[in-house]
Amino acid sequence: MWKNISCLLKMKCAQKVLRSSHLYLSYEFPRKTPILVTVITSEQCSLCSTLIKQLEHFQEEYSFKIREVDIKSDVSLKKLRYDIPVVYVGEKIVCKHNLDIEKLLKEID
């Protein structure tokens, strides 16, 4: 039985659950690189600073990196000026204005 467990733990799956009679073993492999969460912000934006603090609260538990991008740093971001803060995971917009933690965690997992 232990040989099977060690083989399963070596697999590159995110999570494996072994069920043997009354034994439940769950092992989650750590990510090699943390997921990058990009937040489009502005200096004078109070919603932005609140959202960043909320993200920092969940950052350790869900192991992701936060990258803040000022809306003034890129001309192509001006189209988002009425929607900041905007949260991206990869190239997908996850939420605007306020943090939607359920959507964020869905994208991260």
Side-chain angles (χ1 to χ4, degrees), residues 15 18-19 24 27-28 30-31 35 38-39 46 60 62 76 78 87 94 98:
Q15 186 177 22
L18 305 173
R19 294 183 182 125
Y24 291 90
Y27 182 81
E28 193 168 316
R31 290 189 183 107
I35 292 178
T38 304
V39 184
S46 61
E60 271 188 48
Y62 294 100
S76 66
K78 282 192 175 184
V87 178
V94 177
N98 296 301

Side-chain angles (χ1 to χ4, degrees), residues 58-70:
F58 291 102
Q59 188 175 17
E60 271 188 48
E61 186 177 349
Y62 294 100
S63 67
F64 58 86
K65 286 187 175 184
I66 302 170
R67 182 178 80 170
E68 291 183 60
V69 177
D70 193 309

